[in-house]
Amino acid sequence: MSGHSVTIPDDRAFASFKAECLCEESWTVTYNKGNITVFSQGLEEGKSVHKIKCRMVCKDVSADIMYDVLHDIDYRRKWDTNVIETFDIGKLTVNADVGYYSWKCPKPLRNRDVITLRSWLQIGKDYMIMNYSVKHPKYPPKKDMVRAVSIQTGYLIQSQGPNHCSLTYMAQVDPRGSLPKWVVNKSSHFLAPRAMKKIGKVCLKYSEWKQRHNPGFKPWLYPEQTTLPSIPLSELSIQHAESLENIDESSLAETHDREDSD
């Protein structure tokens, strides 16, 4: 999202996001195996902005289950092994909120975090969730993290039948640092496909898990259920990458650990 003031995405923004998710022009296929395809754009060593797109076809998961899984922050804490900390900060409208997410980066890189404005919309058989980085006065960058910038990141879920859907994940991120080539390659050839496979697997277990964990609580579908405090848009500002620390990690060598043997 460009511009100088924080805005909540409108229908045109969602339509544009969907079109970009479905477009294959100017994208390069970097991985294509089984039901998962990974595309990249401008993934070059030394480039500050990394754009990646992953598509997965799930023949045993419905679109609404996939949508619930991607929204459910309590379930994410259980299955997302990359997460360090994630929480919602406050709501803006019935379909927009602000949240914090920090994640582990491949060793020996420093870990990253983001504050994002997230919005979601269902139109017919399409479900969309997208976010971009904002600044919140109570959550400045932390000393032990690198504050990354999500220029635009999100998910498009398309129903293909009662128990059949496709998921497209698209991320345009500035990781605030010169990343080594092995990280760029690892993202598109290994980490992204692994993350998509993981989402597919955890979708199959969600209904059973949800039955035991506050089954009726789905504020992304029923906004009246939310317990988040309302925050005014005026509290937020655009997170410009230039104002954040930029670190050079391009010379760091990869360290192998057991996490990679998934």
Coordinates of all heavy atoms in Angstrom, one line a residue, residues 71-159:
H71 N -7.1 -17.6 9.8 CA -7.5 -16.5 10.7 C -7.2 -16.8 12.1 O -7.0 -15.9 12.9 CB -9.0 -16.3 10.5 CG -9.3 -15.2 9.6 ND1 -9.0 -13.9 9.8 CD2 -10.0 -15.2 8.4 CE1 -9.5 -13.1 8.8 NE2 -10.1 -13.9 7.9
D72 N -7.3 -18.1 12.5 CA -7.4 -18.5 13.9 C -6.0 -18.4 14.6 O -5.1 -19.2 14.5 CB -7.9 -19.9 14.0 CG -8.4 -20.2 15.5 OD1 -7.7 -19.8 16.4 OD2 -9.4 -20.9 15.6
I73 N -5.8 -17.3 15.4 CA -4.5 -17.0 15.9 C -4.1 -18.0 17.0 O -3.0 -18.4 17.2 CB -4.5 -15.6 16.5 CG1 -3.1 -15.1 16.7 CG2 -5.3 -15.4 17.7 CD1 -3.0 -13.6 17.0
D74 N -5.1 -18.6 17.7 CA -4.8 -19.6 18.7 C -4.3 -20.9 18.1 O -3.4 -21.5 18.6 CB -6.1 -19.9 19.6 CG -6.4 -18.7 20.4 OD1 -5.5 -18.0 21.0 OD2 -7.6 -18.4 20.6
Y75 N -4.9 -21.2 17.0 CA -4.5 -22.4 16.3 C -3.1 -22.2 15.7 O -2.3 -23.1 15.7 CB -5.5 -22.8 15.2 CG -5.3 -24.2 14.6 CD1 -5.2 -25.3 15.4 CD2 -5.3 -24.4 13.2 CE1 -5.1 -26.6 14.9 CE2 -5.2 -25.7 12.7 CZ -5.0 -26.8 13.5 OH -4.9 -28.0 13.0
R76 N -2.9 -21.0 15.2 CA -1.6 -20.7 14.6 C -0.4 -20.9 15.6 O 0.6 -21.4 15.3 CB -1.5 -19.3 14.0 CG -0.2 -18.9 13.4 CD -0.2 -17.6 12.7 NE -0.8 -17.7 11.4 CZ -0.3 -18.0 10.2 NH1 1.0 -18.4 10.2 NH2 -0.9 -18.0 9.1
R77 N -0.7 -20.5 16.8 CA 0.3 -20.7 17.9 C 0.7 -22.1 18.0 O 1.8 -22.5 18.5 CB -0.1 -20.1 19.2 CG -0.2 -18.5 19.2 CD -0.5 -18.0 20.6 NE -0.7 -16.6 20.6 CZ -1.9 -16.0 20.7 NH1 -3.0 -16.8 21.0 NH2 -2.1 -14.7 20.7
K78 N -0.3 -23.0 17.8 CA 0.0 -24.4 17.9 C 0.8 -25.0 16.8 O 1.7 -25.8 17.0 CB -1.4 -25.1 18.1 CG -1.3 -26.6 18.1 CD -2.7 -27.3 18.2 CE -2.7 -28.7 17.9 NZ -1.8 -29.5 18.7
W79 N 0.5 -24.6 15.5 CA 1.1 -25.3 14.4 C 2.2 -24.6 13.7 O 3.0 -25.2 13.0 CB 0.0 -25.6 13.3 CG -0.7 -24.5 12.6 CD1 -1.9 -23.9 12.9 CD2 -0.2 -23.7 11.5 NE1 -2.2 -22.9 12.1 CE2 -1.1 -22.7 11.2 CE3 1.0 -23.8 10.7 CZ2 -1.0 -21.8 10.1 CZ3 1.2 -22.9 9.7 CH2 0.2 -21.9 9.4
D80 N 2.3 -23.2 13.9 CA 3.3 -22.5 13.2 C 4.6 -22.5 14.0 O 4.8 -21.8 14.9 CB 2.8 -21.0 13.0 CG 3.8 -20.2 12.1 OD1 4.9 -20.6 11.9 OD2 3.4 -19.1 11.7
T81 N 5.5 -23.4 13.5 CA 6.8 -23.6 14.3 C 7.7 -22.4 14.1 O 8.7 -22.3 14.8 CB 7.5 -24.9 13.8 OG1 7.6 -24.9 12.4 CG2 6.7 -26.1 14.3
N82 N 7.4 -21.5 13.1 CA 8.3 -20.4 12.9 C 8.0 -19.2 13.8 O 8.7 -18.3 14.0 CB 8.2 -19.9 11.4 CG 9.0 -20.8 10.5 OD1 10.0 -21.3 10.8 ND2 8.4 -21.0 9.3
V83 N 6.7 -19.2 14.4 CA 6.3 -18.1 15.2 C 7.1 -18.0 16.5 O 7.3 -19.0 17.1 CB 4.8 -18.2 15.4 CG1 4.4 -19.3 16.4 CG2 4.2 -16.8 15.9
I84 N 7.5 -16.8 16.8 CA 8.0 -16.5 18.1 C 7.0 -15.9 19.0 O 6.7 -16.4 20.1 CB 9.2 -15.5 18.0 CG1 10.4 -16.1 17.2 CG2 9.7 -15.1 19.4 CD1 11.5 -15.2 16.8
E85 N 6.2 -14.9 18.5 CA 5.1 -14.3 19.2 C 4.2 -13.7 18.2 O 4.5 -13.2 17.2 CB 5.7 -13.2 20.1 CG 4.7 -12.6 21.1 CD 5.3 -11.5 21.9 OE1 6.4 -11.0 21.6 OE2 4.7 -11.1 22.9
T86 N 2.9 -13.9 18.5 CA 1.9 -13.2 17.7 C 0.7 -12.9 18.5 O 0.3 -13.6 19.4 CB 1.4 -14.2 16.5 OG1 0.5 -13.5 15.7 CG2 0.8 -15.5 16.9
F87 N 0.1 -11.7 18.3 CA -1.0 -11.2 19.0 C -1.7 -10.1 18.3 O -1.1 -9.4 17.4 CB -0.7 -10.8 20.4 CG 0.4 -9.7 20.5 CD1 0.0 -8.4 20.4 CD2 1.7 -10.0 20.7 CE1 1.0 -7.4 20.5 CE2 2.7 -9.1 20.8 CZ 2.3 -7.7 20.7
D88 N -3.0 -10.0 18.5 CA -3.8 -8.9 17.9 C -3.7 -7.6 18.9 O -3.7 -7.8 20.1 CB -5.3 -9.3 17.8 CG -5.5 -10.4 16.8 OD1 -4.7 -10.5 15.8 OD2 -6.3 -11.3 17.1
I89 N -3.6 -6.5 18.2 CA -3.4 -5.2 19.0 C -4.8 -4.5 19.2 O -5.1 -4.1 20.3 CB -2.4 -4.3 18.3 CG1 -1.0 -4.9 18.4 CG2 -2.4 -2.9 19.0 CD1 0.0 -4.3 17.5
G90 N -5.5 -4.5 18.1 CA -6.8 -3.8 18.2 C -7.6 -3.9 16.9 O -7.0 -4.3 15.9
K91 N -8.9 -3.6 16.9 CA -9.7 -3.6 15.7 C -9.9 -2.2 15.2 O -9.9 -1.2 15.9 CB -11.0 -4.3 16.0 CG -12.0 -3.5 16.9 CD -13.3 -4.1 17.0 CE -14.2 -3.3 18.0 NZ -15.6 -3.8 18.2
L92 N -10.1 -2.2 13.9 CA -10.3 -0.9 13.2 C -11.8 -0.9 12.7 O -12.5 0.1 12.8 CB -9.3 -0.7 12.0 CG -7.9 -0.6 12.4 CD1 -7.0 -0.9 11.2 CD2 -7.6 0.7 13.0
T93 N -12.2 -2.0 12.0 CA -13.6 -2.1 11.5 C -14.0 -3.6 11.7 O -13.2 -4.3 12.3 CB -13.7 -1.7 10.0 OG1 -12.9 -2.7 9.3 CG2 -13.1 -0.4 9.7
V94 N -15.1 -3.9 11.2 CA -15.6 -5.3 11.3 C -14.7 -6.3 10.5 O -14.7 -7.5 10.8 CB -17.1 -5.5 10.9 CG1 -18.0 -4.8 11.8 CG2 -17.3 -5.0 9.4
N95 N -14.0 -5.8 9.5 CA -13.1 -6.7 8.8 C -11.7 -6.1 8.6 O -11.0 -6.3 7.6 CB -13.7 -7.0 7.4 CG -13.7 -5.8 6.5 OD1 -13.9 -4.7 6.9 ND2 -13.5 -6.0 5.2
A96 N -11.2 -5.5 9.7 CA -9.8 -5.0 9.7 C -9.3 -4.8 11.1 O -10.0 -4.4 12.0 CB -9.7 -3.6 9.0
D97 N -8.0 -5.3 11.3 CA -7.4 -5.1 12.6 C -5.9 -4.9 12.5 O -5.4 -4.8 11.4 CB -7.7 -6.4 13.5 CG -7.2 -7.7 13.0 OD1 -6.3 -7.6 12.1 OD2 -7.6 -8.8 13.4
V98 N -5.3 -4.7 13.6 CA -3.8 -4.5 13.6 C -3.2 -5.5 14.5 O -3.8 -5.9 15.6 CB -3.5 -3.1 14.2 CG1 -2.0 -2.9 14.3 CG2 -4.1 -2.0 13.3
G99 N -2.1 -6.1 14.1 CA -1.5 -7.2 14.9 C 0.0 -7.2 14.8 O 0.6 -6.5 14.0
Y100 N 0.6 -8.0 15.7 CA 2.1 -8.2 15.8 C 2.4 -9.6 15.5 O 1.7 -10.5 15.9 CB 2.6 -7.8 17.2 CG 4.0 -8.1 17.4 CD1 5.0 -7.1 17.1 CD2 4.5 -9.3 17.9 CE1 6.4 -7.4 17.3 CE2 5.8 -9.6 18.1 CZ 6.8 -8.6 17.8 OH 8.1 -8.9 18.0
Y101 N 3.5 -9.8 14.7 CA 4.0 -11.2 14.4 C 5.5 -11.1 14.3 O 6.1 -10.3 13.7 CB 3.4 -11.6 13.0 CG 3.8 -13.0 12.6 CD1 3.2 -14.1 13.2 CD2 4.8 -13.3 11.7 CE1 3.5 -15.4 12.8 CE2 5.2 -14.5 11.3 CZ 4.5 -15.6 11.9 OH 4.9 -16.9 11.5
S102 N 6.1 -12.1 15.0 CA 7.6 -12.2 14.9 C 7.9 -13.7 14.6 O 7.2 -14.6 15.0 CB 8.3 -11.8 16.2 OG 7.8 -12.5 17.3
W103 N 9.0 -13.9 13.8 CA 9.3 -15.2 13.3 C 10.8 -15.5 13.3 O 11.6 -14.6 13.3 CB 8.6 -15.4 12.0 CG 9.3 -14.7 10.8 CD1 10.2 -15.1 10.0 CD2 8.9 -13.3 10.4 NE1 10.5 -14.2 9.0 CE2 9.7 -13.1 9.3 CE3 8.1 -12.4 10.9 CZ2 9.7 -11.8 8.6 CZ3 8.0 -11.1 10.2 CH2 8.8 -10.9 9.1
K104 N 11.1 -16.8 13.3 CA 12.4 -17.2 13.3 C 12.9 -17.2 11.9 O 12.3 -17.7 11.0 CB 12.6 -18.7 13.8 CG 12.1 -18.9 15.3 CD 12.1 -20.4 15.6 CE 11.2 -20.7 16.8 NZ 10.9 -22.1 16.9
C105 N 14.1 -16.7 11.7 CA 14.8 -16.7 10.4 C 15.8 -17.8 10.3 O 16.3 -18.3 11.4 CB 15.4 -15.4 10.1 SG 14.3 -14.1 9.7
P106 N 16.2 -18.3 9.1 CA 17.2 -19.3 9.0 C 18.5 -18.9 9.7 O 18.9 -17.7 9.5 CB 17.4 -19.5 7.5 CG 16.2 -18.9 6.9 CD 15.7 -17.9 7.8
K107 N 19.0 -19.7 10.5 CA 20.3 -19.4 11.2 C 21.4 -19.2 10.2 O 21.4 -19.8 9.2 CB 20.6 -20.5 12.2 CG 19.7 -20.6 13.3 CD 20.0 -21.8 14.3 CE 19.0 -21.9 15.4 NZ 19.3 -23.0 16.3
P108 N 22.3 -18.2 10.4 CA 22.5 -17.4 11.6 C 21.9 -15.9 11.5 O 22.3 -15.0 12.1 CB 24.0 -17.3 11.7 CG 24.4 -17.2 10.2 CD 23.4 -18.1 9.5
L109 N 20.9 -15.8 10.6 CA 20.2 -14.5 10.4 C 19.5 -14.1 11.7 O 19.1 -14.9 12.5 CB 19.2 -14.5 9.3 CG 19.8 -14.2 7.9 CD1 20.8 -15.2 7.5 CD2 18.6 -14.1 6.9
R110 N 19.4 -12.7 11.9 CA 18.6 -12.2 13.0 C 17.1 -12.4 12.7 O 16.6 -12.4 11.6 CB 18.9 -10.8 13.2 CG 20.2 -10.6 14.0 CD 20.7 -9.1 14.0 NE 19.7 -8.2 14.7 CZ 19.8 -6.9 14.7 NH1 20.8 -6.3 14.0 NH2 19.0 -6.2 15.4
N111 N 16.3 -12.6 13.8 CA 14.9 -12.9 13.6 C 14.2 -11.5 13.2 O 14.7 -10.5 13.5 CB 14.3 -13.4 14.9 CG 14.8 -14.8 15.1 OD1 15.1 -15.6 14.2 ND2 15.0 -15.2 16.4
R112 N 13.0 -11.7 12.6 CA 12.3 -10.5 12.1 C 10.9 -10.4 12.8 O 10.4 -11.3 13.4 CB 12.0 -10.6 10.6 CG 13.0 -9.9 9.7 CD 14.3 -10.4 9.7 NE 15.2 -9.7 8.7 CZ 16.5 -9.9 8.6 NH1 17.1 -10.7 9.4 NH2 17.2 -9.2 7.7
D113 N 10.4 -9.2 12.8 CA 9.0 -9.0 13.2 C 8.3 -7.9 12.4 O 9.0 -7.1 11.7 CB 8.9 -8.6 14.7 CG 9.5 -7.3 15.1 OD1 10.0 -6.6 14.3 OD2 9.4 -6.9 16.3
V114 N 7.0 -7.8 12.5 CA 6.2 -6.8 11.8 C 5.0 -6.4 12.6 O 4.5 -7.2 13.4 CB 5.7 -7.4 10.4 CG1 6.7 -7.4 9.3 CG2 5.0 -8.7 10.5
I115 N 4.6 -5.2 12.3 CA 3.2 -4.7 12.8 C 2.4 -4.5 11.5 O 2.9 -3.8 10.6 CB 3.3 -3.4 13.6 CG1 4.3 -3.5 14.8 CG2 1.9 -2.9 14.0 CD1 3.7 -4.1 16.0
T116 N 1.3 -5.2 11.4 CA 0.5 -5.0 10.2 C -0.9 -4.7 10.4 O -1.5 -5.0 11.4 CB 0.6 -6.3 9.3 OG1 0.0 -7.4 10.1 CG2 2.0 -6.7 8.9
L117 N -1.4 -3.9 9.4 CA -2.9 -3.7 9.3 C -3.4 -4.8 8.4 O -2.9 -5.0 7.3 CB -3.2 -2.4 8.7 CG -4.6 -1.9 8.6 CD1 -4.7 -0.4 8.5 CD2 -5.4 -2.5 7.5
R118 N -4.3 -5.6 8.9 CA -4.8 -6.8 8.2 C -6.3 -6.6 7.9 O -7.0 -6.1 8.7 CB -4.6 -8.0 9.0 CG -5.0 -9.3 8.4 CD -4.8 -10.5 9.4 NE -5.6 -10.4 10.5 CZ -6.2 -11.4 11.2 NH1 -5.9 -12.6 10.8 NH2 -6.9 -11.2 12.3
S119 N -6.7 -6.9 6.7 CA -8.1 -6.8 6.3 C -8.5 -8.1 5.6 O -7.7 -8.8 5.0 CB -8.4 -5.6 5.5 OG -7.5 -5.5 4.4
W120 N -9.8 -8.4 5.6 CA -10.3 -9.6 5.0 C -11.7 -9.4 4.3 O -12.4 -8.5 4.7 CB -10.3 -10.8 6.0 CG -11.1 -10.5 7.2 CD1 -12.4 -10.8 7.5 CD2 -10.6 -9.9 8.4 NE1 -12.8 -10.4 8.7 CE2 -11.7 -9.8 9.3 CE3 -9.4 -9.3 8.8 CZ2 -11.6 -9.2 10.6 CZ3 -9.2 -8.8 10.1 CH2 -10.3 -8.7 11.0
L121 N -11.9 -10.3 3.3 CA -13.2 -10.1 2.6 C -13.5 -11.4 1.9 O -12.7 -12.1 1.4 CB -13.0 -9.0 1.5 CG -14.2 -8.5 0.8 CD1 -15.2 -7.8 1.7 CD2 -13.8 -7.6 -0.4
Q122 N -14.8 -11.7 1.9 CA -15.3 -12.9 1.2 C -16.2 -12.4 0.1 O -17.2 -11.6 0.3 CB -16.0 -13.9 2.1 CG -16.6 -15.1 1.3 CD -17.5 -16.0 2.1 OE1 -17.6 -15.8 3.3 NE2 -18.1 -17.0 1.5
I123 N -15.9 -12.8 -1.2 CA -16.8 -12.4 -2.3 C -17.2 -13.7 -3.0 O -16.3 -14.3 -3.7 CB -16.2 -11.4 -3.3 CG1 -15.7 -10.1 -2.5 CG2 -17.1 -11.0 -4.4 CD1 -15.0 -9.1 -3.4
G124 N -18.4 -14.1 -3.0 CA -18.8 -15.4 -3.6 C -18.0 -16.5 -3.1 O -17.9 -16.8 -1.9
K125 N -17.2 -17.2 -4.0 CA -16.4 -18.4 -3.6 C -15.0 -18.0 -3.3 O -14.1 -18.9 -3.2 CB -16.5 -19.4 -4.7 CG -17.9 -20.0 -4.9 CD -17.9 -21.1 -5.9 CE -19.3 -21.7 -6.0 NZ -19.3 -22.8 -7.0
D126 N -14.7 -16.7 -3.3 CA -13.3 -16.2 -3.1 C -13.2 -15.7 -1.6 O -14.1 -14.9 -1.2 CB -12.9 -15.1 -4.0 CG -12.8 -15.6 -5.5 OD1 -12.7 -16.8 -5.7 OD2 -12.9 -14.8 -6.4
Y127 N -12.1 -16.0 -1.0 CA -11.9 -15.5 0.4 C -10.5 -14.9 0.3 O -9.5 -15.5 -0.2 CB -11.8 -16.6 1.4 CG -13.0 -17.5 1.6 CD1 -13.3 -18.5 0.6 CD2 -13.8 -17.4 2.7 CE1 -14.4 -19.3 0.7 CE2 -14.9 -18.2 2.8 CZ -15.2 -19.2 1.9 OH -16.3 -20.0 2.0
M128 N -10.4 -13.6 0.8 CA -9.1 -12.9 0.8 C -8.7 -12.4 2.2 O -9.6 -11.9 2.9 CB -9.1 -11.8 -0.2 CG -9.1 -12.3 -1.7 SD -9.4 -11.0 -2.9 CE -11.2 -10.9 -2.8
I129 N -7.4 -12.5 2.5 CA -6.9 -11.9 3.7 C -5.6 -11.2 3.2 O -4.8 -11.8 2.5 CB -6.5 -12.9 4.7 CG1 -7.6 -13.8 5.1 CG2 -5.9 -12.2 6.0 CD1 -7.2 -15.1 5.9
M130 N -5.4 -9.9 3.5 CA -4.2 -9.2 3.1 C -3.8 -8.2 4.2 O -4.5 -7.8 5.0 CB -4.3 -8.6 1.7 CG -5.4 -7.5 1.6 SD -5.4 -7.0 -0.2 CE -6.4 -5.6 -0.1
N131 N -2.5 -7.9 4.2 CA -1.9 -7.0 5.2 C -0.8 -6.1 4.6 O -0.2 -6.4 3.5 CB -1.4 -7.8 6.4 CG -0.1 -8.5 6.2 OD1 0.9 -7.9 5.8 ND2 -0.1 -9.8 6.3
Y132 N -0.6 -5.0 5.3 CA 0.6 -4.2 5.0 C 1.1 -3.6 6.3 O 0.4 -3.5 7.3 CB 0.4 -3.2 3.9 CG -0.6 -2.0 4.3 CD1 -0.1 -0.8 4.7 CD2 -2.0 -2.2 4.2 CE1 -0.9 0.2 5.0 CE2 -2.8 -1.1 4.5 CZ -2.3 0.1 4.9 OH -3.1 1.1 5.2
S133 N 2.4 -3.2 6.3 CA 3.0 -2.7 7.5 C 2.6 -1.3 7.9 O 2.4 -0.4 7.1 CB 4.5 -2.7 7.4 OG 5.1 -4.0 7.6
V134 N 2.4 -1.2 9.2 CA 2.1 0.1 9.8 C 2.9 0.3 11.1 O 3.5 -0.6 11.6 CB 0.6 0.3 10.2 CG1 -0.3 0.3 9.0 CG2 0.1 -0.8 11.2
K135 N 3.0 1.6 11.5 CA 3.6 1.9 12.8 C 2.6 2.1 13.9 O 1.6 2.8 13.6 CB 4.5 3.1 12.6 CG 5.8 2.9 12.0 CD 6.8 4.1 12.2 CE 6.5 5.3 11.4 NZ 7.6 6.3 11.4
H136 N 2.8 1.6 15.0 CA 2.0 1.9 16.2 C 2.9 2.4 17.3 O 3.9 1.8 17.6 CB 1.3 0.6 16.6 CG 0.2 0.8 17.7 ND1 0.5 1.2 19.0 CD2 -1.2 0.7 17.6 CE1 -0.7 1.3 19.6 NE2 -1.7 1.0 18.8
P137 N 2.5 3.5 17.9 CA 3.4 4.1 18.9 C 3.7 3.2 20.1 O 4.8 3.4 20.7 CB 2.6 5.4 19.4 CG 1.2 5.1 19.0 CD 1.2 4.3 17.7
K138 N 2.9 2.3 20.5 CA 3.2 1.4 21.6 C 4.0 0.2 21.3 O 4.5 -0.5 22.2 CB 1.9 0.9 22.2 CG 1.0 2.1 22.9 CD -0.2 1.5 23.5 CE -1.1 2.6 24.1 NZ -2.4 2.2 24.5
Y139 N 4.3 0.0 20.0 CA 5.1 -1.2 19.6 C 6.2 -0.8 18.6 O 6.2 -1.1 17.5 CB 4.2 -2.2 18.9 CG 3.1 -2.6 19.8 CD1 1.8 -2.0 19.8 CD2 3.3 -3.7 20.8 CE1 0.8 -2.4 20.7 CE2 2.3 -4.1 21.6 CZ 1.0 -3.5 21.6 OH 0.0 -3.9 22.4
P140 N 7.2 0.0 19.2 CA 8.4 0.4 18.4 C 9.3 -0.9 18.1 O 9.1 -1.9 18.7 CB 9.1 1.4 19.3 CG 8.8 0.9 20.7 CD 7.4 0.4 20.6
P141 N 10.2 -0.8 17.1 CA 11.1 -1.9 16.9 C 11.9 -2.3 18.1 O 12.2 -1.5 19.0 CB 12.1 -1.3 15.9 CG 11.3 -0.2 15.2 CD 10.5 0.4 16.2
K142 N 12.1 -3.6 18.2 CA 12.8 -4.2 19.4 C 14.3 -4.3 19.1 O 14.7 -4.6 18.0 CB 12.2 -5.6 19.8 CG 10.8 -5.6 20.1 CD 10.3 -7.0 20.4 CE 8.8 -7.0 20.9 NZ 8.4 -8.3 21.3
K143 N 15.1 -4.3 20.2 CA 16.5 -4.4 20.0 C 17.0 -5.7 19.5 O 18.0 -5.8 18.8 CB 17.2 -4.1 21.4 CG 17.2 -2.6 21.7 CD 17.9 -2.4 23.1 CE 17.8 -0.9 23.4 NZ 18.4 -0.6 24.8
D144 N 16.3 -6.8 19.9 CA 16.8 -8.1 19.5 C 16.1 -8.6 18.2 O 16.3 -9.8 17.8 CB 16.5 -9.1 20.6 CG 15.0 -9.2 20.9 OD1 14.3 -8.2 20.7 OD2 14.6 -10.2 21.5
M145 N 15.4 -7.8 17.5 CA 14.7 -8.1 16.3 C 15.0 -7.1 15.2 O 15.4 -6.0 15.4 CB 13.1 -8.1 16.4 CG 12.6 -9.1 17.4 SD 12.2 -10.6 16.5 CE 11.7 -11.6 18.0
V146 N 14.8 -7.6 13.9 CA 14.9 -6.6 12.8 C 13.4 -6.4 12.4 O 12.7 -7.4 12.1 CB 15.7 -7.2 11.6 CG1 15.7 -6.3 10.4 CG2 17.2 -7.5 12.0
R147 N 13.0 -5.2 12.4 CA 11.6 -4.8 11.9 C 11.6 -4.9 10.4 O 12.1 -4.1 9.7 CB 11.2 -3.5 12.5 CG 9.8 -2.9 12.1 CD 8.7 -3.7 12.7 NE 8.7 -4.1 14.1 CZ 8.2 -3.4 15.1 NH1 7.5 -2.3 14.8 NH2 8.2 -3.9 16.3
A148 N 10.9 -5.9 9.9 CA 10.7 -6.0 8.4 C 9.5 -5.2 8.0 O 8.7 -4.7 8.8 CB 10.5 -7.5 8.1
V149 N 9.3 -5.1 6.7 CA 8.2 -4.3 6.1 C 7.4 -5.2 5.2 O 8.0 -5.6 4.2 CB 8.7 -3.0 5.4 CG1 7.6 -2.3 4.8 CG2 9.4 -2.1 6.4
S150 N 6.2 -5.4 5.4 CA 5.3 -6.0 4.5 C 4.7 -4.9 3.6 O 3.9 -4.0 4.1 CB 4.1 -6.7 5.2 OG 3.1 -7.1 4.3
I151 N 5.1 -4.9 2.3 CA 4.5 -3.9 1.4 C 3.1 -4.3 1.0 O 2.2 -3.6 1.0 CB 5.5 -3.8 0.2 CG1 6.8 -3.3 0.6 CG2 4.9 -2.9 -0.9 CD1 8.0 -3.5 -0.4
Q152 N 3.0 -5.6 0.7 CA 1.7 -6.2 0.6 C 1.8 -7.7 0.7 O 2.6 -8.3 -0.1 CB 1.0 -5.9 -0.7 CG -0.5 -6.4 -0.8 CD -1.2 -6.0 -2.1 OE1 -0.6 -6.2 -3.1 NE2 -2.4 -5.5 -1.9
T153 N 1.1 -8.3 1.6 CA 1.2 -9.8 1.8 C -0.2 -10.3 2.0 O -1.1 -9.6 2.5 CB 2.0 -10.1 3.0 OG1 3.3 -9.6 2.8 CG2 2.1 -11.6 3.2
G154 N -0.5 -11.5 1.5 CA -1.9 -12.0 1.7 C -2.2 -13.3 1.1 O -1.3 -14.0 0.5
Y155 N -3.4 -13.8 1.3 CA -3.9 -15.1 0.8 C -5.1 -14.9 0.0 O -6.0 -14.1 0.4 CB -4.2 -16.0 2.0 CG -3.1 -16.3 3.0 CD1 -3.0 -15.5 4.2 CD2 -2.3 -17.3 2.8 CE1 -2.0 -15.8 5.1 CE2 -1.3 -17.7 3.7 CZ -1.1 -16.9 4.8 OH -0.1 -17.2 5.7
L156 N -5.2 -15.7 -1.1 CA -6.4 -15.8 -1.8 C -6.8 -17.3 -1.8 O -6.1 -18.1 -2.2 CB -6.2 -15.4 -3.3 CG -7.3 -15.8 -4.3 CD1 -8.6 -15.0 -4.0 CD2 -6.9 -15.5 -5.7
I157 N -8.0 -17.5 -1.3 CA -8.6 -18.9 -1.2 C -9.7 -19.0 -2.2 O -10.6 -18.1 -2.2 CB -9.1 -19.3 0.2 CG1 -8.0 -19.1 1.2 CG2 -9.6 -20.7 0.2 CD1 -8.5 -19.0 2.6
Q158 N -9.7 -19.9 -3.1 CA -10.8 -20.1 -4.1 C -11.4 -21.5 -3.9 O -10.7 -22.5 -4.0 CB -10.3 -19.9 -5.5 CG -9.8 -18.4 -5.7 CD -9.5 -18.1 -7.1 OE1 -8.6 -18.7 -7.7 NE2 -10.3 -17.2 -7.7
S159 N -12.7 -21.5 -3.7 CA -13.4 -22.8 -3.6 C -13.5 -23.4 -4.9 O -13.9 -22.8 -5.9 CB -14.8 -22.5 -3.0 OG -15.5 -23.8 -3.0

